[in-house]
Amino acid sequence: MLRRLVYRLYERQLLAEVLGRPVPRHLGLIQDGHRRFARHAGLSNLSGYRLGASKAEEVLAWCRELRIPMVTMWWLSTENLAREPEDVAAVLRVIEDKMAEWVQGGLARRLGLRIRPIGKLELLPATTLEALRAAEDATRAHTGMLLNVGVGYGGRQEIVDAVRGYLGDCFLRGATPEEILAELTAETLDKYLYTGDCPDPDLIIRTSGEVRLSGFLLWQSAYSEFYFCDAYWPAFRKIDFLRAIRSYQQRTRRFGR
């Protein structure tokens, strides 16, 4: 009882510190640690993924409270698709269920979520792709927060796809090799990324104690700030989130200057 009271008081203190100060325009979240959390808790991987999806709902509500306009969550990487079929199927089942639940249950409407799947979507089963596309279509008019959902996402693959997209457009308009090379700039390639209409992430948070990007938004994170948290994603608390935001607010960003 006393512990919960102290936690609530500390949470309120942190919230008061971050409110009214600049928040990230674009927040990236590497949601790591589902399986390790499940193993330590004596649960199945499926239970760990379900708890992680419920945690995502909480975190999105916290983002909305701070008026963060754009979030990119990484739910499944291209490398994850090579895991045991039963494990991949469990992740995909949770994604399909949550996409429908967020739309039909009203979460997307309450938070103003515009859901947009990003990644090598053609690698996904038809049922998963259908669920993601249905959520995208149903929330297209929402303006409260853009949520990029990385499913079958890999940073290297995104860059390859961006180059392919650029070259494909060049070939369609009959550009010469000299024109292709002359027009290939960082600014040009930006437009062909999965997040081409988004500002680069200001802050990227990774849970589970791992200190690496693992391919998340490789191109876009050149000048992002990073925050690494020891908590597994299903156990990520609001005070962990607020500490990350406070840490971001305390930094001086120089962008290489």
Side-chain angles (χ1 to χ4, degrees):
M1 186 73 172
L2 178 59
R3 186 175 182 179
R4 286 201 298 270
L5 177 60
V6 171
Y7 173 88
R8 288 177 184 171
L9 290 174
Y10 181 46
E11 180 185 305
R12 289 178 185 174
Q13 177 189 333
L14 284 171
L15 183 59
E17 286 185 49
V18 303
L19 284 174
R21 301 183 66 187
V23 297
R25 295 172 304 160
H26 183 181
L27 173 65
L29 293 168
I30 303 176
Q31 304 149 263
D32 194 21
H34 297 77
R35 295 189 300 174
R36 279 171 287 168
F37 175 87
R39 185 164 58 249
H40 290 172
L43 303 171
S44 67
N45 285 349
L46 176 60
S47 296
Y49 295 135
R50 291 198 185 282
L51 289 170
S54 297
K55 180 58 62 175
E57 298 173 5
E58 291 183 61
V59 174
L60 288 170
W62 303 339
C63 290
R64 183 65 175 147
E65 183 179 18
L66 296 186
R67 300 185 183 277
I68 294 173
M70 195 172 301
V71 177
T72 297
M73 287 184 162
W74 198 9
W75 283 16
L76 185 72
S77 73
T78 48
E79 291 79 13
N80 292 156
L81 291 170
R83 287 178 175 173
E84 291 297 322
E86 296 80 6
D87 194 52
V88 176
V91 178
L92 295 175
R93 189 191 319 167
V94 171
I95 291 172
E96 292 172 16
D97 290 347
K98 280 300 174 183
M99 288 296 98
E101 184 181 317
W102 287 6
V103 172
Q104 297 167 12
L107 177 78
R109 184 183 66 256
R110 290 195 303 273
L111 299 183
L113 286 182
R114 178 160 71 94
I115 299 169
R116 179 172 65 178
I118 61 171
K120 199 73 173 172
L121 302 179
E122 60 268 29
L123 298 178
L124 302 176
T127 53
T128 306
L129 184 56
E130 181 181 350
L132 289 165
R133 291 301 189 202
E136 183 178 28
D137 291 341
T139 62
R140 200 177 298 278
H142 293 179
T143 59
M145 182 193 309
L146 172 62
L147 173 63
N148 296 311
V149 179
V151 184
Y153 173 87
R156 289 180 175 178
Q157 186 63 54
E158 179 179 23
I159 295 170
V160 170
D161 285 347
V163 173
R164 283 178 175 163
Y166 167 70
L167 292 176
D169 282 354
C170 289
F171 297 154
L172 282 175
R173 61 184 174 83
T176 66
E178 292 77 13
E179 290 171 334
I180 292 173
L181 291 174
E183 295 170 10
L184 180 56
T185 64
E187 291 73 22
T188 299
L189 208 56
D190 266 339
K191 301 171 186 176
Y192 288 89
L193 297 170
Y194 302 149
T195 60
D197 59 344
C198 302
D200 291 341
D202 298 299
L203 173 65
I204 295 174
I205 301 172
R206 179 171 187 153
T207 58
S208 88
E210 302 291 349
V211 184
R212 61 176 183 272
L213 283 178
S214 298
F216 181 69
L217 300 180
L218 285 179
W219 180 281
Q220 302 93 321
S221 62
Y223 292 107
S224 300
E225 300 295 326
F226 301 98
Y227 187 90
F228 299 99
C229 174
D230 288 337
Y232 297 133
W233 175 255
F236 188 61
R237 303 166 301 174
K238 191 172 184 179
I239 62 171
D240 299 317
F241 172 74
L242 293 172
R243 282 171 175 166
I245 300 299
R246 182 181 63 179
S247 175
Y248 165 79
Q249 292 172 333
Q250 292 172 341
R251 302 179 192 183
T252 300
R253 304 187 71 195
R254 294 186 290 275
F255 299 95
R257 295 190 291 270

